[in-house]
């Protein structure tokens, strides 16, 4: 309160209050998997967690205080999912909307990318209970014309999340398609960039170097791998856009695979070589088609280079189900906990600046 007394001795008291204005809150989570691993197919547990996220706006005890007197509650104005959305390579739009549609109904933009479980595998590798390889499953390749339809459903689901969010303030800036570069591959991977409240979001799907592919077909399709194609053109355009236009905007980077992790099953280096499925053939070198950045180290170095060219960047990934934080030269990499265990990141954002504060929170 400010009291002003004029020359006549008359005092006037005026109350000033901080308001949110250019601050807002974002929530990031990974791997809801509501119809995987023998879990409930109707998504009841995930629906409840989504309701808890929506209700955070009613909890006056949970807030950021970027400046004294300004409280910004945890209730999000944007929610991001980092993939492994629903069921293994069999996304269902109706289920997706029944589980996550409450966010849109409450005026909250919700954008998802896809993860490895949402995408048909390079090859299916299974073993019998006695440990012997099942003959019919050995070399039973994914990315056939049948599995292609599964991937198309996943892409439609991701597109739906963008479309619903565009009604609520999200602007789709760029979707990277093979046709943009003179190709016509059936297997689009569709990384994209969108903006929201002055922040630019770089959405790499599983990761930015994921390959286009041409699925196999015919009676022998399941006995032959797909043909993979280099996507270096995407990274080249991305870097050019950042250098000449996008780099001035604060940046949030999301993808399913982390850049840094210590998993015992090969870690990031295995997955960034287009690991699909499990077993000795799952890391087929023929599936790694990058010319300019052929090794995992090359890819990560280039990712660091591009991210470092953006303003106040922050990076989120899922996949491991294990929360972790990695400090890099100009940004921090946050790996999300397993959403079914109620773990999320809550991020205080500011227009024109990007991420201000990030906390791990359990619902």
């Amino acid at each position: 309160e400010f009291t002003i007394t004029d020359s006549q001795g008359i005092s006037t008291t005026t109350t000033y209050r901080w308001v949110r204005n250019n601050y807002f809150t974002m929530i990031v989570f990974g791997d809801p998997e509501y119809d995987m691993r023998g879990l409930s197919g109707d998504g009841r547990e995930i629906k409840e967690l989504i309701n808890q996220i929506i209700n955070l706006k009613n909890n006056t005890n949970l807030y950021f205080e970027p400046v004294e007197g300004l409280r910004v509650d945890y209730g999000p104005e944007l929610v991001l999912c980092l993939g492994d959305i629903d069921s293994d390579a069999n996304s269902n739009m109706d289920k997706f909307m029944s589980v996550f549609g409450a966010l849109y109904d409450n005026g909250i933009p919700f954008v998802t990318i896809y993860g490895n479980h949402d995408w048909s595998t390079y090859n299916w590798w299974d073993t019998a209970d006695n440990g012997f390889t099942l003959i019919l499953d050995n070399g039973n390749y994914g990315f056939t014309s049948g599995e292609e339809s599964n991937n198309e459903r996943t892409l439609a689901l991701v597109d739906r999340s963008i479309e619903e969010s565009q009604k609520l303030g999200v602007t789709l800036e760029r979707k990277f398609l093979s046709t943009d570069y003179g190709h016509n591959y059936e297997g689009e991977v569709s990384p994209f960039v969108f903006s929201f409240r002055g922040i630019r979001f770089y959405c790499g799907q599983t990761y930015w170097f994921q390959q286009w592919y041409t699925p196999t077909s015919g009676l022998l399709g399941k006995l032959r791998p797909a043909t993979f194609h280099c996507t270096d053109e995407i990274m080249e355009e991305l870097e050019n856009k950042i250098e000449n236009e996008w780099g001035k905007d604060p940046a949030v980077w999301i993808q399913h695979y982390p850049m840094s992790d210590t998993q015992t099953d090969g870690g990031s280096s295995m997955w960034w070589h287009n690991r699909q499925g499990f077993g000795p053939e799952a890391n087929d070198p023929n599936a790694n088609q990058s010319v300019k950045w052929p090794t995992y180290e090359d890819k990560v170095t280039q990712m660091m280079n591009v991210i470092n060219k953006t303003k106040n960047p922050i990076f989120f990934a899922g996949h491991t189900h294990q929360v972790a934080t990695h400090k890099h030269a100009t940004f921090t990499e946050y790996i999300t906990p397993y959403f079914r265990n109620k773990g999320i990141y809550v991020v205080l954002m500011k227009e024109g600046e990007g991420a201000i504060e990030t906390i791990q929170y359990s619902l």
Side-chain angles (χ1 to χ4, degrees), residues 258-262 268 296 300 304 315 320 324 326 328 333 335:
M259 286 191 289
S260 312
D261 75 77
T262 56
S268 292
Y296 164 69
V300 169
M304 297 282 189
F315 181 98
T320 70
H326 301 279
H328 301 295
E333 174 182 1
I335 302 176

Side-chain angles (χ1 to χ4, degrees), residues 84-102:
D84 284 3
I85 307 163
D86 49 6
S87 54
D88 284 303
N90 192 25
S91 295
N92 182 292
M93 186 68 74
D94 291 338
K95 283 188 177 182
F96 172 79
M97 291 301 294
S98 72
V99 173
F100 298 107

Side-chain angles (χ1 to χ4, degrees), residues 275-337:
R275 178 179 179 181
Q276 301 286 351
F278 298 89
E281 296 163 352
N283 193 30
D284 192 318
N286 293 323
N288 176 37
Q289 296 294 328
S290 178
V291 175
K292 296 184 68 173
W293 304 283
T295 69
Y296 164 69
E297 289 76 15
D298 293 334
K299 292 181 176 70
V300 169
T301 298
Q302 176 62 9
M303 279 299 299
M304 297 282 189
N305 175 53
V306 172
I307 292 173
N308 288 340
K309 292 181 180 181
T310 57
K311 179 180 177 180
N312 191 24
I314 189 170
F315 181 98
F316 293 95
H319 184 61
T320 70
H321 298 187
Q322 298 177 0
V323 63
T325 303
H326 301 279
K327 298 287 186 180
H328 301 295
T330 63
F331 67 95
T332 301
E333 174 182 1
Y334 294 93
I335 302 176
T336 57

Side-chain angles (χ1 to χ4, degrees), residues 54-91:
I54 293 168
N55 290 330
L56 285 174
K57 66 179 182 294
N58 300 319
N59 190 330
T60 58
N61 296 317
L62 297 173
Y63 57 86
F64 296 98
E65 193 169 9
V67 295
E68 186 177 356
L70 170 60
R71 294 183 175 185
V72 183
D73 62 59
Y74 284 10
E77 293 189 32
L78 176 68
V79 177
L80 303 177
C81 174
L82 303 181
D84 284 3
I85 307 163
D86 49 6
S87 54
D88 284 303
N90 192 25
S91 295

Side-chain angles (χ1 to χ4, degrees), residues 6 66 113 141 150 187 196 229 246 353:
D6 64 18
I113 56 177
Y141 289 100
N150 296 334
F196 179 73
H229 308 283
W246 294 345
E353 292 188 28

Side-chain angles (χ1 to χ4, degrees), residues 15-284:
T15 300
Y16 290 85
R17 247 185 257 177
W18 289 102
V19 293
R20 289 180 66 148
N21 277 345
N22 53 355
Y23 287 97
F24 67 97
T25 306
M26 171 179 76
I27 284 177
V28 184
F29 64 80
D31 306 80
E33 298 187 350
Y34 63 77
D35 193 13
M36 291 183 194
R37 309 177 196 273
L39 301 169
S40 171
D42 60 11
R44 282 173 293 175
E45 299 93 337
I46 305 303
K47 286 181 184 178
E48 176 56 31
L49 294 179
I50 294 301
N51 287 332
Q52 290 183 43
I53 286 175
I54 293 168
N55 290 330
L56 285 174
K57 66 179 182 294
N58 300 319
N59 190 330
T60 58
N61 296 317
L62 297 173
Y63 57 86
F64 296 98
E65 193 169 9
V67 295
E68 186 177 356
L70 170 60
R71 294 183 175 185
V72 183
D73 62 59
Y74 284 10
E77 293 189 32
L78 176 68
V79 177
L80 303 177
C81 174
L82 303 181
D84 284 3
I85 307 163
D86 49 6
S87 54
D88 284 303
N90 192 25
S91 295
N92 182 292
M93 186 68 74
D94 291 338
K95 283 188 177 182
F96 172 79
M97 291 301 294
S98 72
V99 173
F100 298 107
L103 289 163
Y104 305 126
D105 293 341
N106 282 272
I108 302 171
F110 169 66
V111 177
T112 186
I113 56 177
Y114 60 79
N116 57 297
H117 279 277
D118 306 309
W119 206 245
S120 284
T121 56
Y122 174 71
N123 76 307
W124 298 105
W125 179 274
D126 205 352
T127 56
D129 291 339
N130 59 13
F132 291 101
T133 300
L134 294 176
I135 300 300
L136 294 179
D137 283 342
N138 186 12
N140 183 5
Y141 289 100
F143 292 114
T144 63
S145 56
E147 280 73 24
E148 164 67 5
S149 63
N150 296 334
N151 291 350
E152 288 176 350
R153 286 194 294 270
T154 291
L155 290 175
L157 188 150
V158 172
D159 285 345
R160 178 68 180 274
S161 79
I162 298 170
E163 292 165 5
E164 295 295 331
S165 296
Q166 285 181 293
K167 301 172 185 176
L168 301 169
V170 161
T171 300
L172 178 63
E173 301 286 355
R174 181 78 168 89
K175 183 189 291 186
F176 298 82
L177 301 173
S178 67
T179 50
D180 299 330
Y181 309 99
H183 312 303
N184 191 27
Y185 303 134
E186 296 176 60
E188 293 287 4
V189 290
S190 301
F192 59 97
V193 176
F194 73 88
S195 59
F196 179 73
R197 296 199 58 174
I199 315 295
R200 196 172 295 275
F201 294 79
Y202 298 85
C203 306
Q205 306 290 18
T206 55
Y207 70 133
W208 277 96
F209 294 91
Q210 183 179 357
Q211 292 81 19
W212 290 308
Y213 65 91
T214 301
T216 58
S217 60
L219 294 176
L220 299 178
K222 288 186 175 293
L223 300 179
R224 298 194 303 268
T227 301
F228 286 83
H229 308 283
C230 175
T231 54
D232 287 358
E233 291 157 301
I234 292 178
M235 179 56 68
E236 290 168 347
E237 183 188 352
L238 180 67
E239 185 173 15
N240 182 63
K241 284 281 192 181
I242 288 171
E243 288 178 340
N244 294 291
E245 181 182 355
W246 294 345
K248 67 182 184 299
D249 299 323
V252 175
W253 292 80
I254 66 171
Q255 63 183 44
H256 185 66
Y257 295 153
M259 286 191 289
S260 312
D261 75 77
T262 56
Q263 289 188 103
T264 57
D265 69 345
S268 292
S269 60
M270 177 73 81
W271 292 96
W272 280 50
H273 275 297
N274 207 54
R275 178 179 179 181
Q276 301 286 351
F278 298 89
E281 296 163 352
N283 193 30
D284 192 318

